[in-house]
Amino acid sequence: MFKVIPGAFVAAIAMFLLGFIFFATPLSNIHLGGLGDSEAAAVQTALAANMPADGAGTYAIPEPSVSASQSELYARGPIPMVHYNPNGFAIGDTGALVSGFVHMLFVALLLGAALYSLAGHVRDFGARLSITILFALSVSAFTLLSDPIWYHQDWTHHIYRFVANTIMYVVAGAIIARWFLPKDVDSDDRFGEE
């Protein structure tokens, strides 16, 4: 089991590097829209004037559960889902990079523990990789493709994140499964035969 810990660290580094490629290079422009300078400043000013100064959080605007009036506004549109942070932060914030790596390490440790728990039953790399791929697809599909379905958000952003996160997760799992779990055994050994 102790081999999984350095494996998770290597896997987290791979996830971090892939995350950089997907989210810190011009590729990241595929899934995010932008506004012109004056429009962005006007929206930012409107947010600052109408949102709570200490109210970091996610807001549906309007929120139909608040009042009948907002319910009507919601049905009419437009409807933004705002991930609001009243305090700015630097692009490439070091604290976010460190926290992000710790998050990836935690995920890789969980993945390593899951793969290790299967290691005695699933000995060959292909089967381990298959399990990792199916798990990554199911979790990413459930968590990232639900917002376009339930909240009618744009598909481009969520499909991009689905693809990026699935690839990052599969690469992490492949690293752990290939180099940090017990090696393949032949079919006789797999079933405990002498």
Side-chain angles (χ1 to χ4, degrees), residues 31 136-166:
H31 74 108
L137 287 169
S138 67
V139 170
S140 294
F142 184 74
T143 58
L144 296 171
L145 300 182
S146 59
D147 285 346
I149 294 166
W150 294 102
Y151 293 115
H152 302 279
Q153 294 178 359
D154 72 295
W155 281 95
T156 303
H157 172 71
H158 296 286
I159 289 173
Y160 184 87
R161 291 186 61 217
F162 166 79
V163 170
N165 288 4
T166 300

Side-chain angles (χ1 to χ4, degrees), residues 117-185:
S117 72
L118 295 172
H121 307 286
V122 182
R123 296 274 185 167
D124 62 284
F125 172 70
R128 291 172 180 172
L129 184 60
S130 175
I131 289 168
T132 301
I133 290 169
L134 292 172
F135 186 73
L137 287 169
S138 67
V139 170
S140 294
F142 184 74
T143 58
L144 296 171
L145 300 182
S146 59
D147 285 346
I149 294 166
W150 294 102
Y151 293 115
H152 302 279
Q153 294 178 359
D154 72 295
W155 281 95
T156 303
H157 172 71
H158 296 286
I159 289 173
Y160 184 87
R161 291 186 61 217
F162 166 79
V163 170
N165 288 4
T166 300
I167 289 170
M168 291 164 62
Y169 195 88
V170 168
V171 168
I175 288 169
I176 294 168
R178 178 67 181 96
W179 290 293
F180 297 96
L181 293 177
K183 300 292 183 203
D184 296 348
V185 295

Side-chain angles (χ1 to χ4, degrees), residues 43-55:
V43 170
Q44 193 173 41
T45 300
L47 286 171
N50 293 289
M51 301 288 284
D54 61 348

Side-chain angles (χ1 to χ4, degrees), residues 43-99:
V43 170
Q44 193 173 41
T45 300
L47 286 171
N50 293 289
M51 301 288 284
D54 61 348
T58 300
Y59 296 85
I61 303 171
E63 171 52 62
S65 65
V66 171
S67 67
S69 174
Q70 286 200 44
S71 184
E72 290 174 25
L73 291 170
Y74 190 90
R76 198 172 348 153
I79 311 163
M81 179 84 62
V82 178
H83 301 289
Y84 184 68
N85 181 345
N87 308 308
F89 57 89
I91 296 172
D93 175 38
T94 307
L97 294 174
V98 171
S99 298

